[in-house]
Amino acid sequence: AAAAAVTVAECHECEAGRVLGDGDPGFKCRKHGGQGGDVSKPKPLKRQLTKHVVTRWYRGPELILLQDYTSAVDIWSIGCIFAELLSMQKESVDKYMNRMPLFPGKSCFPLSAEKNNSYEDRRDQLNVIFAVIGTPSLADIHDLGDLSSQGYLNGLPRVDAQPLNKLYSGASPAAISLLASMLQFNPRRRVTVEEALSHEFLAPVRHASREAQAHSPLAMDIEAEG
């Protein structure tokens, strides 16, 4: 399932409820409208495009901070889905009623904030993210290039990352390694689709000879099905 999820990473708005199975090993990512993306070399998307993409709990930090974004936002979303899959292991989360999304924020300042000071709420999306992965390093903050975002992040209290192998104690070291590579704050440090598919965790289930790479935009027939 993880390998199939990675293959739909070029589809924005990826979340657990939109990953659909249609056989072995086919998976699709259901979208609420929009066009299929160009799956060639990722290109930065212009700022005039909407920033309100991806359901809040699966939204990458660069979207929350109103930065230009690439297909790396989809890798973040896939990482969130992967974390939910790992939580389904009884060794990680014993009781099913305790299983939940990795980053269940209540608001998302400034995109969908309920109040002007929502960013101070520990349940605001970015705070929920940092409570797990820790606040970004000074180097990653500087890499943003946007002075207002840099100032905002530098003003946050420092938070240490939680060990992912403690959150998902039933997961293998390889699974934790893949998850960590997907949930990098800095999109430039985040694993790419090709790197994720080549990760050791997916080696037992990957069949590279059966993969095909599209060099032009895909027609998403699932959208036509309504």
Side-chain angles (χ1 to χ4, degrees):
V6 172
T7 64
V8 298
E10 288 294 340
C11 173
H12 293 311
E13 302 182 50
C14 285
E15 59 175 277
R18 296 182 192 172
V19 177
L20 309 177
D22 66 348
D24 180 23
F27 276 71
K28 298 178 180 178
C29 181
R30 185 180 66 193
K31 297 175 67 182
H32 293 327
Q35 301 297 320
D38 184 350
V39 298
S40 59
K41 184 177 181 180
K43 300 177 181 179
L45 303 182
K46 298 299 182 182
R47 179 164 296 222
Q48 60 264 33
L49 296 183
T50 178
K51 292 294 179 182
H52 208 128
V53 298
V54 186
T55 303
R56 178 189 306 150
W57 297 345
Y58 304 85
R59 194 174 291 160
E62 60 268 38
L63 291 176
I64 299 172
L65 293 168
L66 304 179
Q67 305 298 299
D68 291 331
Y69 57 92
T70 68
S71 57
V73 298
D74 299 313
I75 292 295
W76 178 275
S77 300
I78 294 298
C80 296
I81 297 171
F82 186 32
E84 290 185 47
L85 292 174
L86 295 179
S87 75
M88 294 179 185
Q89 295 176 295
K90 188 174 182 179
E91 298 82 1
S92 293
V93 183
D94 186 28
K95 300 183 182 300
Y96 74 89
M97 67 281 292
N98 293 329
R99 295 167 186 165
M100 58 189 297
L102 180 58
F103 303 122
K106 181 182 178 183
S107 62
C108 191
F109 181 87
L111 291 174
S112 55
E114 296 179 356
K115 302 177 182 178
N116 290 336
N117 64 341
S118 289
Y119 64 90
E120 298 177 348
D121 191 334
R122 63 182 178 83
R123 296 168 296 177
D124 188 67
Q125 191 62 36
L126 206 55
N127 293 332
V128 171
I129 289 173
F130 292 159
V132 175
I133 70 169
T135 43
S137 67
L138 294 178
D140 282 341
I141 292 175
H142 180 75
D143 207 28
L144 286 173
D146 181 72
L147 294 179
S148 61
S149 295
Q150 289 181 25
Y152 170 63
L153 293 174
N154 282 323
L156 294 176
R158 304 302 298 174
V159 179
D160 293 330
Q162 295 189 49
L164 294 176
N165 60 345
K166 301 297 183 183
L167 291 177
Y168 304 105
S169 56
S172 67
I176 295 299
S177 170
L178 178 58
L179 179 62
S181 69
M182 292 177 167
L183 298 179
Q184 292 292 312
F185 169 84
N186 190 333
R188 294 182 179 87
R189 301 182 192 278
R190 211 169 292 157
V191 69
T192 65
V193 171
E194 292 77 13
E195 290 168 345
L197 288 172
S198 299
H199 194 276
E200 61 175 321
F201 176 75
L202 299 178
V205 296
R206 186 186 184 192
H207 300 283
S209 61
R210 298 171 60 182
E211 297 173 3
Q213 182 175 0
H215 297 284
S216 60
L218 295 175
M220 304 295 286
D221 58 340
I222 193 170
E223 295 177 359
E225 294 169 6

